[in-house]
Amino acid sequence: MTLQETISTDLKTALKAKDETVLGTLRLIKAEIQYELTKTGASELSDTAVMQILKTNYKRRKDTAVEYDKANRPDLSSKEIEEAEIISRYIPKEVSEEEINLAIGEAVVTLGAVGPQDMGKVMGNVMAKFKGQNIDGSKVSTLVKQALSAR
């Protein structure tokens, strides 16, 4: 079952269970998937494309929760966090820092990287290795900078 089908099935389950929070969150995700389908003209999105939609929505909700906390609105913040948790059910566990560091080490040796000027090559290699997995690009960037500045 594809990720898109799983979301549709869970949407129907939430509708039957009258779970308003899950239902509202999945409806928004489904609407964004439908928008992408309309834009591309495809009948179904790849799991990678759906995963990107999910990651974007997850990050958006986390950022919004932080802003609501700053504005002293814990009621709205908790709603955003709850929606982010619902979305996180569909996102695989994030690649660990150890795995990223190992991949960076391999990329540095393979590419013969000698300093910060090789950051783009190393970043491209590491991100390609984890394509389709849940990986934070800014975390990778920071770790690559650390590894290359130590050389």
Side-chain angles (χ1 to χ4, degrees):
M1 185 180 288
T2 66
L3 198 50
Q4 188 175 340
E5 292 168 343
T6 302
I7 291 170
S8 292
T9 303
D10 290 352
L11 180 77
K12 290 173 190 169
T13 304
L15 185 63
K16 290 176 186 172
K18 295 181 172 52
D19 188 342
E20 293 300 319
T21 306
V22 174
L23 185 61
T25 304
L26 292 181
R27 276 184 173 157
L28 287 171
I29 298 296
K30 184 88 169 149
E32 287 199 32
I33 290 171
Q34 195 60 43
Y35 174 73
E36 284 298 317
L37 287 172
T38 304
K39 211 165 69 171
T40 61
S43 61
E44 191 168 322
L45 292 178
S46 68
D47 279 353
T48 306
V50 174
M51 186 63 61
Q52 192 58 48
I53 291 170
L54 291 168
K55 285 182 190 177
T56 302
N57 276 277
Y58 177 79
K59 184 174 182 342
R60 186 180 305 145
R61 294 215 172 40
K62 286 295 211 183
D63 292 345
T64 304
V66 169
E67 292 302 316
Y68 281 141
D69 281 337
K70 287 180 187 174
N72 200 23
R73 293 295 309 263
D75 54 325
L76 296 174
S77 176
S78 65
K79 181 180 183 290
E80 293 293 326
I81 290 170
E82 191 175 350
E83 289 180 0
E85 288 172 1
I86 292 166
I87 294 169
S88 72
R89 296 177 195 166
Y90 302 97
I91 301 173
K93 147 181 116 51
E94 193 170 314
V95 176
S96 72
E97 199 169 307
E98 295 80 35
E99 290 176 286
I100 295 170
N101 280 325
L102 185 65
I104 290 170
E106 290 173 5
V108 166
V109 170
T110 304
L111 299 171
V114 292
Q117 68 272 18
D118 295 320
M119 185 167 169
K121 289 191 275 185
V122 175
M123 278 288 296
N125 186 289
V126 172
M127 293 304 284
K129 184 174 279 190
F130 293 110
K131 187 174 176 88
Q133 296 183 35
N134 187 13
I135 188 165
D136 182 6
S138 60
K139 183 191 288 185
V140 174
S141 176
T142 303
L143 293 171
V144 168
K145 278 181 192 170
Q146 289 172 355
L148 292 178
S149 64
R151 297 191 142 257

